[in-house]
Amino acid sequence: MEATSGEEAPKRNPLPAALVSNLQSVLAARRPTPPEEVSTAAAASEADEGAPAAEASDSAPTDGAPARPIVLLTSAGGIRSPGLAALVDALVAGGRCDVNVCAPESDKPVCGHSITIRETITATSVDFTGAKAFEISGTPVDCISLALSGRLFPWSAPALVISGINAGPNCGYEMFHSSAIAAAREALVYGVPSIAISLNWKKDESKDSDFKDAAEACLPLINAALADIEKGTFLKGCLLNIGVPSVPSANKGFKLTIQSGYSPAQSWQAVSTNRPSSAVHFMGMHQSLGIQLAQLGKDASAAGAARRAQRKTVEVESVAAAGKQEVREVVKKLFRAEFVEKQHEDLNEDIDLRALENGFISVAPLNVHGLVEPEIGTPASHWLSAVVSLDKEKEAAPATVDQQDASVAAEEKEAPSAA
């Protein structure tokens, strides 16, 4: 047997066989595909997907715009408020727009235009049928500001912002306390058309189902606003403050109103830490049982925390010459503010609050400062008149068809007797 030299002997590969095989596969995948194979594969792909691709290109919008206008909803009553749920259901069922929701995680009715600065805010997705929704650990104004920033949703400019449906009217100077009005005003600051909707909630009379009727009653106005926004003819520089009467199903129609100077009386009451009183919603007579129970839980937690943190006396360093420690008493008192309705017999018939009491849906156009300017009032009056006329025409059309069907049925019934 011949001896082999060192040069002819096979060298030992120091790498494992599995690693070598893996490296070979990666290198093979990086090799460029021959031009003939590329053209053949492309032709086969076009033959297989030609028709569907053509249909997709025809149906997809060329400018990337959504097929339907986007409407952003929020509510001072929180993400789980019945008013917000009723409005979402009504808009989704109507199919006129794409519904997006950004609302506080809890009830925040009297925050005004407060915002959260230099504190972390959490946005958590929430399941809403037919809508994309987030609950926010901030104020209603935070919700609108965040939604319009482009950080939360893939868009930054919806067609319309709607705040509501709020439990309790936002008439007169209540708008300065109202978070519902503030959210709509924040959208107006960003240049986005906005509407605030409130139900004239009556304690021991109103029920959660009234929110559904209120949403249905406001749909014609919302749809008309969307149509004019798409045409570029909607009212400029104002938001619409809409008040729905306490019995929405029996409303007398829309009425253009002016913001009143009405202001509820504020009353402060001393409360005890060991016996929390009933929760008070903004305008205490305007709240549902669910809101009351939620607020009672908050009050009970706050009372417990106060008892744990309560300190009757503290010891401080004495300034006396003897060097003894001096004991001082720390007094801690708890108070709760309530709003009490005042009598308002002398209100004009065109005032928002009077229109609500008379059963009308109040529509008050407000600028960013909460005022109704003459150059806004006249266009708003013409626009609302057109909306009412269009709504009456739609209601009359089905009635005419029914009358025609009734007359045809009567003629068919009389025909045999004539024979």
Side-chain angles (χ1 to χ4, degrees):
M1 184 175 182
E2 298 181 359
T4 58
S5 64
E7 296 178 357
E8 295 179 358
K11 296 181 179 180
R12 182 180 178 184
N13 193 341
L15 298 176
L19 180 59
V20 173
S21 176
N22 189 20
L23 291 174
Q24 291 175 347
S25 300
V26 171
L27 293 175
R30 292 185 177 181
R31 292 173 184 170
T33 306
E36 299 82 5
E37 296 182 9
V38 173
S39 58
T40 304
S45 176
E46 292 177 359
D48 294 340
E49 304 178 0
E55 294 177 0
S57 62
D58 293 339
S59 60
T62 56
D63 57 354
R68 297 182 298 181
I70 295 174
V71 173
L72 173 64
L73 303 183
T74 192
S75 175
I79 192 72
R80 292 166 184 81
S81 63
L84 177 61
L87 192 56
V88 170
D89 291 342
L91 292 177
V92 170
R96 178 68 176 79
C97 57
D98 289 334
V99 181
N100 292 255
V101 181
C102 187
E105 61 185 5
S106 60
D107 184 25
K108 298 183 181 296
V110 287
C111 295
H113 211 104
S114 61
I115 58 176
T116 305
I117 298 295
R118 291 187 293 273
E119 292 184 12
T120 302
I121 286 182
T122 304
T124 307
S125 60
V126 179
D127 290 334
F128 262 97
T129 303
K132 186 175 183 179
F134 287 92
E135 64 177 7
I136 308 299
S137 61
T139 67
V141 173
D142 288 332
C143 295
I144 298 301
S145 178
L146 176 60
L148 299 183
S149 69
R151 301 286 185 176
L152 184 62
F153 295 100
W155 45 262
S156 60
L160 179 65
V161 170
I162 304 178
S163 176
I165 300 174
N166 186 60
N170 290 313
C171 300
Y173 292 132
E174 292 176 348
M175 67 178 178
F176 294 111
H177 306 286
S178 171
S179 301
I181 296 292
R185 185 168 55 240
E186 180 73 4
L188 188 61
V189 170
Y190 277 81
V192 179
S194 59
I195 296 174
I197 305 177
S198 302
L199 173 65
N200 190 21
W201 184 272
K202 295 292 185 181
K203 184 180 180 181
D204 300 328
E205 296 180 14
S206 301
K207 48 188 180 300
D208 287 349
S209 60
D210 290 333
F211 288 107
K212 180 180 179 181
D213 295 334
E216 294 294 338
C218 293
L219 269 184
L221 190 144
I222 295 174
N223 291 333
L226 285 173
D228 287 347
I229 288 171
E230 291 176 321
K231 297 176 186 176
T233 59
F234 187 64
L235 300 171
K236 304 293 184 181
C238 71
L239 64 90
L240 296 181
N241 182 18
I242 301 176
V244 183
S246 56
V247 185
S249 58
N251 76 85
K252 299 179 181 179
F254 298 101
K255 184 173 183 177
L256 188 69
T257 60
I258 58 177
Q259 198 81 357
S260 66
Y262 167 77
S263 176
Q266 191 172 4
S267 173
W268 285 94
Q269 301 293 333
V271 295
S272 173
T273 58
N274 54 12
R275 191 180 54 167
S277 60
S278 300
V280 178
H281 188 267
F282 176 60
M283 295 304 293
M285 66 293 299
H286 307 305
Q287 60 183 154
S288 65
L289 179 60
I291 296 176
Q292 294 182 37
L293 293 176
Q295 189 63 44
L296 282 173
K298 294 179 183 178
D299 288 350
S301 300
R307 287 196 300 270
R308 291 190 296 270
Q310 188 176 20
R311 291 177 294 179
K312 293 184 178 180
T313 60
V314 294
E315 294 184 355
V316 298
E317 186 177 354
S318 174
V319 295
K324 296 181 180 179
Q325 288 186 335
E326 180 181 347
V327 178
R328 294 180 182 177
E329 183 179 2
V330 176
V331 179
K332 184 174 184 178
K333 298 181 179 181
L334 300 180
F335 298 91
R336 180 179 288 112
E338 299 182 10
F339 285 99
V340 181
E341 284 189 341
K342 297 186 300 186
Q343 298 298 323
H344 40 77
E345 292 86 357
D346 299 332
L347 291 181
N348 189 302
E349 293 298 323
D350 293 332
I351 295 296
D352 48 13
L353 188 58
R354 179 65 72 189
L356 281 179
E357 293 177 345
N358 292 338
F360 289 96
I361 298 177
S362 168
V363 181
L366 304 175
N367 63 12
V368 71
H369 304 293
L371 303 175
V372 182
E373 298 177 352
E375 56 268 23
I376 294 179
T378 301
S381 178
H382 295 329
W383 180 80
L384 187 60
S385 298
V387 172
V388 172
S389 300
L390 182 61
D391 189 40
K392 288 182 177 179
E393 291 177 1
K394 291 182 178 180
E395 291 179 355
T400 304
V401 174
D402 294 340
Q403 292 174 359
Q404 293 176 354
D405 294 341
S407 61
V408 172
E411 292 177 358
E412 292 177 353
K413 184 176 181 180
E414 292 176 357
S417 60

